[in-house]
Amino acid sequence: GNSVTQMEGPVTLSEEAFLTINCTYTATGYPSLFWYVQYPGEGLQLLLKATKADDKGSNKGFEATYRKETTSFHLEKGSVQVSDSAVYFCALGPSGGSYIPTFGRGTSLIVHP
Amino acid sequence: EAGVTQFPSHSVIEKGQTVTLRCDPISGHDNLYWYRRVMGKEIKFLLHFVKESKQDESGMPNNRFLAERTGGTYSTLKVQPAELEDSGVYFCASSPVGQGSEKLFFGSGTQLSVL
């Protein structure tokens, strides 16, 4: 079945540091890939997505590229802010006969001033 | 437009008691999903409704869990009797059928603690 592996957190950075959160996946077929973000006290919300190989999703300074050859979708940001502190979830859309979106374990990001 | 709302936000109960969680999806969203996250682990799928029909309940842990979506609007998830391992955050998500179905809209979750 489909699965997502994310790096364990927490990831702790100083403001303006470079961020990478790794995500790899196993899937039947070619699902769309997503990053969701959960700010404290809120529900998950879509951050960005990519629908096919080599697509780059981007939003709010975050980027991730759909890499079919390495089955990866790593999240990056060049300069993080304190307000980026949240939990980030990598996810697969439905594929290969599975109609259910699949989520990773989430990676907590803590950004210090 | 109102988002997905879940009630209660927190629930603390004793082992053996019953708890009912409620989810109100975004109006017009026929897809409704329940997920659960145990501390620090992945968000695990529980079940999926399309309107009032259960499309997939393969993630339901056992028969102590019962989900309903009468009339295809709000949904409830009842745990009876609750066990310690049921503790976690229960998320509800909704999306439209067809165009835009892949993007899920989440509620803020219900934190369930079974003591």
Side-chain angles (χ1 to χ4, degrees), chain B residues 20-58:
Chain B
T20 299
L21 313 181
R22 173 169 169 148
C23 169
D24 286 73
I26 291 173
S27 177
H29 281 191
D30 288 338
N31 283 318
L32 187 150
Y33 303 85
W34 283 99
Y35 286 87
R36 176 174 70 179
R37 186 183 189 219
V38 174
M39 189 63 180
K41 300 196 174 178
E42 70 268 24
I43 296 177
K44 282 199 153 183
F45 167 75
L46 296 178
L47 88 158
H48 171 216
F49 286 99
V50 177
K51 297 185 179 179
E52 67 276 9
S53 299
K54 290 178 188 174
Q55 291 294 111
D56 187 335
E57 52 184 330
S58 61

Side-chain angles (χ1 to χ4, degrees), chain A residues 32 36 43-44 100-101 104-105, chain B residues 35 37 40 42 45 102 104 106-107:
Chain A
S32 295
Y36 283 80
L44 283 74
I100 305 303
R105 66 189 298 154
Chain B
Y35 286 87
R37 186 183 189 219
E42 70 268 24
F45 167 75
E102 287 192 316
L104 301 189
F106 279 81

Side-chain angles (χ1 to χ4, degrees), chain A residues 91-112:
Chain A
L92 307 182
S95 75
S98 168
Y99 296 95
I100 305 303
T102 304
F103 288 82
R105 66 189 298 154
T107 302
S108 176
L109 170 65
I110 301 169
V111 181
H112 293 294

Side-chain angles (χ1 to χ4, degrees), chain B residues 56-73:
Chain B
D56 187 335
E57 52 184 330
S58 61
M60 295 287 261
N62 50 59
N63 60 9
R64 294 185 293 103
F65 288 73
L66 175 65
E68 295 181 323
R69 192 181 182 195
T70 306
T73 54

Side-chain angles (χ1 to χ4, degrees), chain A residues 2-71:
Chain A
N2 294 352
S3 67
V4 176
T5 302
Q6 281 184 243
M7 60 188 290
E8 282 204 41
V11 173
T12 304
L13 296 172
S14 297
E15 208 165 22
E16 298 183 5
F18 183 85
L19 168 71
T20 300
I21 299 178
N22 290 337
C23 170
T24 57
Y25 65 90
T26 302
T28 303
Y30 303 100
S32 295
L33 304 178
F34 303 84
W35 278 99
Y36 283 80
V37 58
Q38 183 186 21
Y39 298 105
E42 299 181 12
L44 283 74
Q45 55 187 275
L46 181 66
L47 178 60
L48 56 83
K49 73 173 190 178
T51 57
K52 60 184 188 298
D54 300 325
D55 265 4
K56 178 186 283 186
S58 60
N59 186 25
K60 299 182 181 179
F62 291 89
E63 293 183 338
T65 301
Y66 193 137
R67 300 286 188 203
K68 192 173 76 170
E69 64 277 11
T70 55
T71 61

Side-chain angles (χ1 to χ4, degrees), chain A residues 77-98:
Chain A
K77 186 175 186 182
S79 175
V80 294
Q81 304 301 311
V82 172
S83 57
D84 294 327
S85 298
V87 182
Y88 293 80
F89 293 89
C90 185
L92 307 182
S95 75
S98 168

